[in-house]
Amino acid sequence: MNCDETRDLIHGYFDGELELVKSIEIEDHLNDCHPCAQSAKQIRSLRSTLSQDNVRFDLPKSLEQRVRSTLSSNIEPKQRPGSLFWRWFVVGASAIVAVALVWVIAGVFSRQSSGDVIAQEIVSSHVRSLMADHLTDVPSSDQHTVKPWFNGKLDFSPPVKDLSQQGFSLTGGRLDYIGSRPVAALVYQRRQHSINLFVWPSTDSAAESERASVHQGYNLIAWSNGGMAYWVVSDLNLAELQQFVQLLREQTPDGPAKM
Ligand SMILES: [Zn+2]
């Protein structure tokens, strides 16, 4: 990320419109570049000024009355009553159709997006962990080392399973962020393939069955169990990834995760 790119993206960054990877690149650049950090500081203070109540004001009542009286004096007095009725009827009907359309379209998009946004973040996080050579904060194949490492770093304790006997070796854990909350990332290895398993508390009891999808060529499987949401992502083939999920689920009993 250079200064020009940062300038182009900085407003999107403050509006929370960028994907995680870009936001992190911008933060890295702001840490290193004094001029960009200065202009970010100015934008931040402008935004906080604009959000204060004393720079906003309500329209005076007299202005509203003036607009209304101008409007009513401009309506033609010689209109036949019937035609005025039909004109307003058509305007009203069009407005209802337009509102209904927006509602339907917004519904379709928001239903698509909530799962899609998470899937996108999962893939970004997976790719970043491989690219930045930052796969683990606690590199260990011992579940009794990895699990306690999360103590005090998360407000929950993720279940950590050893599946090395079944060919999925635990290589460590990492703190990560998905959907603006800190989550546990557990890392497993199958031959040359890294598997990231993300875990965080979930209240979505309706999503217990597994949902598989493909994003940017990576296989993803999501499910929830015992009050936790699980997302697994890898370039491993789907059949073996499903086997991994199956093994995990066999070792993770239903109900609030204790262990
Ligand atoms: Zn810069």
Side-chain angles (χ1 to χ4, degrees):
M1 182 80 49
N2 60 31
C3 294
D4 284 341
E5 288 173 304
T6 302
R7 254 194 305 279
D8 288 344
L9 294 175
I10 191 91
H11 289 284
Y13 166 75
F14 278 113
D15 289 335
E17 290 166 347
L18 302 187
E19 64 172 18
L20 196 59
V21 176
K22 282 274 178 257
S23 297
I24 288 171
E25 285 174 5
I26 288 199
E27 278 159 20
D28 284 348
H29 182 82
L30 293 180
N31 281 334
D32 295 339
C33 173
H34 184 67
C36 286
Q38 279 306 109
S39 59
K41 203 172 149 192
Q42 284 167 3
I43 295 171
R44 200 174 283 126
S45 85
L46 180 64
R47 287 172 67 94
S48 83
T49 306
L50 287 177
S51 66
Q52 286 161 12
D53 279 345
N54 57 7
V55 294
R56 297 155 178 259
F57 65 94
D58 292 328
L59 284 180
K61 198 81 191 149
S62 60
L63 177 64
E64 186 189 331
Q65 280 160 357
R66 257 189 4 251
V67 171
R68 285 185 185 285
S69 70
T70 312
L71 282 175
S72 59
S73 69
N74 280 352
I75 291 178
E76 295 167 45
K78 273 177 270 173
Q79 201 99 52
R80 280 185 297 138
S83 93
L84 191 63
F85 168 79
W86 281 110
R87 191 183 291 184
W88 282 110
F89 180 80
V90 170
V91 169
S94 320
I96 289 169
V97 170
V99 168
L101 264 179
V102 168
W103 190 54
V104 168
I105 292 170
V108 169
F109 275 95
S110 69
R111 213 169 309 140
Q112 264 183 353
S113 60
S114 65
D116 268 7
V117 168
I118 300 249
Q120 188 59 52
E121 283 193 36
I122 296 279
V123 171
S124 297
S125 180
H126 178 68
V127 172
R128 194 174 62 245
S129 73
L130 301 176
M131 267 185 355
D133 208 13
H134 179 212
L135 207 48
T136 54
D137 290 327
V138 51
S140 170
S141 59
D142 181 5
Q143 56 180 318
H144 303 295
T145 302
V146 175
K147 187 178 170 68
W149 179 85
F150 287 105
N151 286 344
K153 299 182 178 72
L154 293 170
D155 56 358
F156 63 97
S157 183
V160 181
K161 302 296 168 190
D162 179 12
L163 300 175
S164 53
Q165 294 289 312
Q166 293 90 342
F168 297 93
S169 48
L170 180 67
T171 59
R174 183 178 79 246
L175 205 59
D176 215 315
Y177 283 83
I178 301 289
S180 328
R181 67 150 301 143
V183 304
L186 302 169
V187 185
Y188 291 83
Q189 200 75 23
R190 173 77 157 184
R191 299 189 303 275
Q192 309 306 321
H193 307 280
S194 292
I195 303 172
N196 262 300
L197 169 66
F198 297 91
V199 187
W200 64 89
S202 156
T203 50
D204 191 0
S205 57
E208 294 207 345
S209 59
E210 289 149 33
R211 305 174 306 283
S213 57
V214 180
H215 285 260
Q216 294 165 234
Y218 292 96
N219 283 313
L220 281 82
I221 302 176
W223 73 99
S224 66
N225 183 22
M228 294 281 180
Y230 296 83
W231 280 78
V232 66
V233 56
S234 180
D235 61 341
L236 186 64
N237 67 73
L238 184 60
E240 284 180 87
L241 200 59
Q242 273 167 336
Q243 187 199 346
F244 173 72
V245 170
Q246 223 43 58
L247 291 165
L248 271 181
R249 298 196 71 168
E250 280 164 18
Q251 291 207 18
T252 315
D254 288 351
K258 294 170 201 97
M259 213 5 262

